Amino acid sequence: MILLIGVVFFMFSCKKEKLEGGKEIFIGKWNWIYTTHIYSFCDSDPNYTDILNPESEGAKYSMKFFENGIVKYYENEKYLGRDRLIFKIFNTSDCGDGYYQFFINLDNQDEVHKSFDGCISNDSLILVRGFPFDQFEYGCEVYTSYFVKE
């Protein structure tokens, strides 16, 4: 009986968000094309920009989004992990025609390194922060990653 109560509690205690109401646009596999890395704007002038891509990094990254609000990460087709998607923003705005702007807390965490934000269309996904380069010094560098839908 205690086990049953625990299972029911666990099922309802986790915040879940299905991809519906336009968010279905995320569903599917997204392959990384390249990333712009802008850095040194905290401590030097001029800023520096690197273009990172599968050839320069020796890795192919991808993400799969599922209808149940889960994203899974892959490097060279090897599974790396997963997160739950909790949308804070999803609307049409400054991204341009055919694009939606979004801000997502991963696993319902409010930490900068546990979020995605960017723009998405039917075939393009632009992440201003997040996979595959989510380690950065906040306010001093930025990674903008570009994906295409398979």
Side-chain angles (χ1 to χ4, degrees):
M1 180 66 168
I2 292 175
L3 179 62
L4 180 61
I5 292 171
V7 169
V8 170
F9 175 76
F10 180 73
M11 287 174 47
F12 290 103
S13 67
C14 295
K15 187 170 183 179
K16 298 177 180 133
E17 188 162 335
K18 281 190 165 189
L19 297 181
E20 55 192 14
K23 297 171 190 162
E24 303 89 350
I25 198 168
F26 282 91
I27 297 171
K29 183 177 180 183
W30 296 84
N31 295 312
W32 175 61
I33 302 302
Y34 71 96
T35 297
T36 58
H37 177 209
I38 303 171
Y39 57 98
S40 291
F41 47 87
C42 282
D43 55 7
S44 71
D45 194 26
N47 300 340
Y48 295 97
T49 301
D50 290 331
I51 303 297
L52 311 173
N53 58 48
E55 292 77 31
S56 70
E57 301 309 297
K60 294 181 180 180
Y61 295 104
S62 61
M63 297 183 290
K64 289 182 184 175
F65 290 85
F66 297 88
E67 182 181 2
N68 64 354
I70 297 293
V71 59
K72 294 183 179 181
Y73 310 102
Y74 299 86
E75 179 180 355
N76 298 324
E77 301 298 324
K78 181 182 173 197
Y79 176 73
L80 297 174
R82 65 178 236 157
D83 285 311
R84 287 179 300 120
L85 306 173
I86 306 298
F87 285 82
K88 298 298 180 186
I89 296 172
F90 182 77
N91 60 39
T92 57
S93 66
D94 299 331
C95 293
D97 288 339
Y99 280 87
Y100 292 89
Q101 179 183 22
F102 62 87
F103 186 92
I104 299 170
N105 282 351
L106 301 171
D107 289 334
N108 207 23
Q109 301 293 313
D110 287 328
E111 302 166 29
V112 170
H113 70 278
K114 288 296 285 181
S115 64
F116 279 171
D117 65 286
C119 301
I120 189 169
S121 72
N122 287 325
D123 60 0
S124 298
L125 172 64
I126 304 165
L127 288 180
V128 177
R129 75 171 53 94
F131 184 76
F133 302 103
D134 56 357
Q135 300 299 317
F136 63 96
E137 187 177 346
Y138 187 70
C140 294
E141 66 180 322
V142 65
Y143 291 93
T144 304
S145 297
Y146 297 83
F147 293 80
V148 294
K149 196 168 200 176
E150 186 172 284

